[in-house]
Amino acid sequence: MSIADYFHKAATGPKSRRALLTPVGLLVFGSSLFVVIAVFGVLLCGWCVVRFWRAHGTPVPMNPPDVLITGGPYAWVRNPMVTGVFGALFGLGFILHSTGMAVIWTPAYVLMHWIELRRVEEPELARRFGASYLEYKERVPMFIPSLTRILGR
């Protein structure tokens, strides 16, 4: 029996079987969505690290690149690594069935990082790169990409 046959049999079978399989399907498909979110977050962080290495620096604030990175994921958001970590933590919280991790600790992490970015990283970048950083900061959102910007509208 193929997978399509199994799904057809489940979808057209007795109502009691469909009622029993609905939560199982929701769990499987829902979990896979959060696995994708977590994997996407990890891959986004990796892409950012590669961008730093190519610019002869690291994401570690003590050894940054000499140039302002505005390409790749940095064209969509100013802090894609935080966006990636947020996605990875949020997805992992759902995968592990940890409501606390998904809805308390992940947002708390983002809030603490937002405070650090506003008070430490952004002033330092403005000092180091001047007007080019300030223009970039005005043009590119902090964490969540603008769909109109991505779609080129």
Side-chain angles (χ1 to χ4, degrees):
M1 179 184 301
S2 74
I3 293 175
D5 292 335
Y6 174 76
F7 278 101
H8 177 73
K9 187 176 179 180
T12 59
K15 189 171 183 109
S16 60
R17 183 184 319 151
R18 287 184 287 164
L20 179 67
L21 291 176
T22 296
V24 173
L26 182 61
L27 180 66
V28 169
F29 291 113
S31 295
S32 65
L33 172 65
F34 292 109
V35 167
V36 168
I37 291 170
V39 168
F40 174 76
V42 170
L43 292 174
L44 181 58
C45 287
W47 188 8
C48 294
V49 169
V50 168
R51 298 295 298 197
F52 273 80
W53 283 341
R54 286 185 178 162
H56 306 289
T58 69
V60 177
M62 304 335 164
N63 188 18
D66 293 333
V67 296
L68 180 62
I69 298 174
T70 59
Y74 291 91
W76 302 317
V77 291
R78 295 193 314 269
N79 299 282
M81 291 186 78
V82 176
T83 302
V85 170
F86 177 76
L89 290 174
F90 185 75
L92 190 59
F94 272 89
I95 292 166
L96 298 175
H97 306 287
S98 174
T99 304
M101 183 176 189
V103 298
I104 296 171
W105 297 113
T106 300
Y109 167 83
V110 173
L111 177 64
M112 289 185 305
H113 214 82
W114 178 80
I115 291 168
E116 182 273 332
L117 289 167
R118 288 289 190 192
R119 293 187 176 188
V120 178
E121 189 171 313
E122 288 186 338
E124 191 279 326
L125 288 168
R127 184 182 304 171
R128 192 158 27 116
F129 296 113
S132 61
Y133 176 73
L134 295 175
E135 185 275 325
Y136 172 70
K137 183 179 171 185
E138 281 292 317
R139 185 174 40 87
V140 179
M142 189 174 223
F143 298 123
I144 301 170
S146 164
L147 287 178
T148 55
R149 181 164 169 72
I150 290 173
L151 297 174
R153 294 182 184 158

